[in-house]
Amino acid sequence: MTPERKRTKLHRWFLLRRICVTLCLSALLFTLHSRAQDVQEKIEVDSLSRNFVVHLPRGYDSKQHYPVVILLPGQNQEPDDMQRLTHFDQLVADKEGIITVYPNATRGRWNIGVHQEQPAMAPRRGYGRHGGMGGGGYPGGGGYPGGGGGYPSGGGGQNGGQNPDDSRNRPEPADDIAFLNQMLDHLALKYSVDTHRIYATGLGDGGFMALRMGCEMADRVAAVAPVAAALPKTMICLPARPVSALFLDGTDDPLVPYGGGTYKPGQFHVLSAEDSAKTWAKFDRCDEKPAQEKIQPLQKGEKESKTFTFSGCHDNAQVVLYAVKDGGNTWPGGEQYTSEKEVGKTSDALNANETIWSFLSTKKIADESGVGK
């Protein structure tokens, strides 16, 4: 072989190698780009370090604008507990192109702005990272982090039947509204967010916090979907605009009584699930009487759920209650994260993820011209 042919052959080999490397790198970058990812974020709020997890869906593209669903964990749960028990990321967010956010409560508890109405019971065994069962889960009847005691409230901590001197050493409840507002500011700066399509949902305490967001952050939150939560009787709620709400409540919830009563872990009174929806419908100035419908179960052996839908609301808002027959303080279609004795049954009669997103996806905050973007 002549020297010239050798040089030509060597040149081709190097060219092919370069093409191969380029293609391999492109494929790797495409794989990394298309893969869903979780990002740990941290911000400072009132000199307190607060963290949250951001899940970017598969194929995340910074040139697009994505809806945001905030999933608020229950009492003593952490973000990854909420991710596991709902499977919202894999079943909905990655398919529909949604940025999901999992904020972390301070000391495992949200400050929902409601005072404890009676002395707390002596703390029992806790659940989740802060309690005695490391597998994660919602507390069945107490096990409060930090030595037990009162439920955090907007007006300051309660002594929970403890020695008044003890309450002086208890830290003040966190300003969770400030935290969530700063979190949304951070998201808008760092990620491609559709600010007209930000939603809040949550389980148990997280559901109560979602309601508070609807009451106090109506200028930023398009709609809320509390699961296993009802309106506290003493919650002050003055939304700046009509906020659509989906209530998802089990009829056999041992913690948040479907017919109303005392929410034992927080020691405050709640309206019944039906009165909660009716009251929220008044906030939104909807028609007084809801349309009722029975929903056939998705799984054999489950009982049909019932829906109450309030229409005719101002600004095209809507309020819906799903009454999940025999359901507990759980996420329908999700994981049974602790015993039925403690939190009731996880119903498979419907899929909370699909039900919630089907409702939320149609709600938007209108721009100044009155048109939702």
Side-chain angles (χ1 to χ4, degrees):
M1 185 180 294
T2 64
E4 186 176 345
R5 288 187 67 185
K6 283 183 178 179
R7 283 195 297 272
T8 301
K9 191 173 181 180
L10 188 63
H11 175 73
R12 286 176 180 170
W13 183 84
F14 277 113
L15 183 62
L16 287 171
R17 184 181 175 187
R18 181 179 296 175
I19 291 171
C20 180
V21 169
T22 301
L23 289 173
C24 289
L25 285 173
S26 297
L28 178 61
L29 288 172
F30 175 79
T31 300
L32 291 173
H33 178 72
S34 62
R35 185 183 302 163
Q37 56 178 312
D38 287 355
V39 183
Q40 302 283 338
E41 296 283 3
K42 185 179 290 187
I43 57 177
E44 293 290 322
V45 183
D46 295 332
S47 302
L48 184 66
S49 181
R50 301 296 301 266
N51 59 75
F52 53 97
V53 174
V54 177
H55 177 86
L56 300 178
R58 289 192 181 95
Y60 173 77
D61 182 355
S62 60
K63 295 178 182 178
Q64 298 182 26
H65 289 88
Y66 293 84
V68 174
V69 175
I70 301 166
L71 291 99
L72 297 148
Q75 195 178 101
N76 291 347
Q77 289 178 343
E78 294 189 6
D80 57 349
D81 294 319
M82 192 66 175
Q83 286 178 300
R84 283 196 302 270
L85 75 88
T86 64
H87 302 295
F88 191 90
D89 295 339
Q90 299 85 356
L91 298 179
V92 180
D94 290 341
K95 293 179 181 179
E96 300 291 340
I98 306 165
I99 294 175
T100 53
V101 186
Y102 299 84
N104 213 352
T106 302
R107 297 180 297 277
R109 307 173 75 184
W110 294 109
N111 175 10
I112 67 169
V114 175
H115 285 276
Q116 180 181 304
E117 296 172 12
Q118 52 185 292
M121 296 178 295
R124 293 194 292 143
R125 183 178 55 177
Y127 296 87
R129 303 287 175 84
H130 302 273
M133 291 179 63
Y138 194 88
Y144 306 128
Y151 190 86
S153 63
Q158 303 293 309
N159 65 27
Q162 306 295 320
N163 187 318
D165 292 334
D166 295 340
S167 64
R168 296 174 189 169
N169 300 321
R170 186 172 297 118
E172 286 294 313
D175 188 345
D176 284 328
I177 291 296
F179 163 48
L180 294 167
N181 270 309
Q182 286 185 225
M183 182 186 79
L184 291 181
D185 293 341
H186 181 90
L187 290 171
L189 287 172
K190 188 170 180 179
Y191 302 101
S192 295
V193 170
D194 182 347
T195 56
H196 291 76
R197 301 181 68 198
I198 295 174
Y199 313 103
T201 184
L203 174 65
D205 266 29
F208 287 117
M209 193 65 212
L211 287 171
R212 188 181 181 193
M213 291 180 71
C215 293
E216 300 187 34
M217 296 174 63
D219 59 328
R220 308 188 78 168
V221 177
V224 297
V227 179
L231 267 177
K233 284 187 176 182
T234 57
M235 177 176 274
I236 298 172
C237 191
L238 299 169
R241 63 170 188 85
V243 177
S244 294
L246 171 73
F247 291 83
L248 208 90
D249 289 293
T251 61
D252 282 356
D253 188 330
L255 301 180
V256 181
Y258 181 84
T262 301
Y263 173 56
K264 293 178 183 177
Q267 292 297 296
F268 57 82
H269 287 87
V270 295
L271 300 178
S272 70
E274 293 173 25
D275 282 345
S276 294
K278 185 177 181 180
T279 301
W280 201 276
K282 288 181 180 178
F283 297 157
D284 291 347
R285 287 173 283 180
C286 308
D287 294 339
E288 284 189 19
K289 291 188 177 180
Q292 299 185 33
E293 185 181 357
K294 291 182 178 179
I295 307 296
Q296 292 302 313
L298 296 176
Q299 300 289 338
K300 257 188 173 183
E302 297 285 351
K303 296 179 181 177
E304 59 189 12
S305 300
K306 193 174 184 179
T307 62
F308 301 79
T309 303
F310 292 86
S311 302
C313 315
H314 278 221
D315 295 347
N316 296 315
Q318 189 180 41
V319 178
V320 181
L321 164 65
Y322 275 77
V324 184
K325 188 68 175 174
D326 297 339
N329 198 270
T330 50
W331 192 272
E335 298 291 334
Q336 181 71 42
Y337 50 90
T338 190
S339 72
E340 288 189 22
K341 182 180 178 182
E342 298 291 340
V343 297
K345 175 187 175 184
T346 299
S347 173
D348 287 319
L350 58 85
N351 185 298
N353 293 330
E354 294 174 1
T355 301
I356 289 169
W357 180 241
S358 178
F359 178 83
L360 297 179
S361 63
T362 61
K363 317 303 180 197
K364 298 180 182 181
I365 293 179
D367 60 19
E368 292 180 359
S369 66
V371 179
K373 281 189 178 181

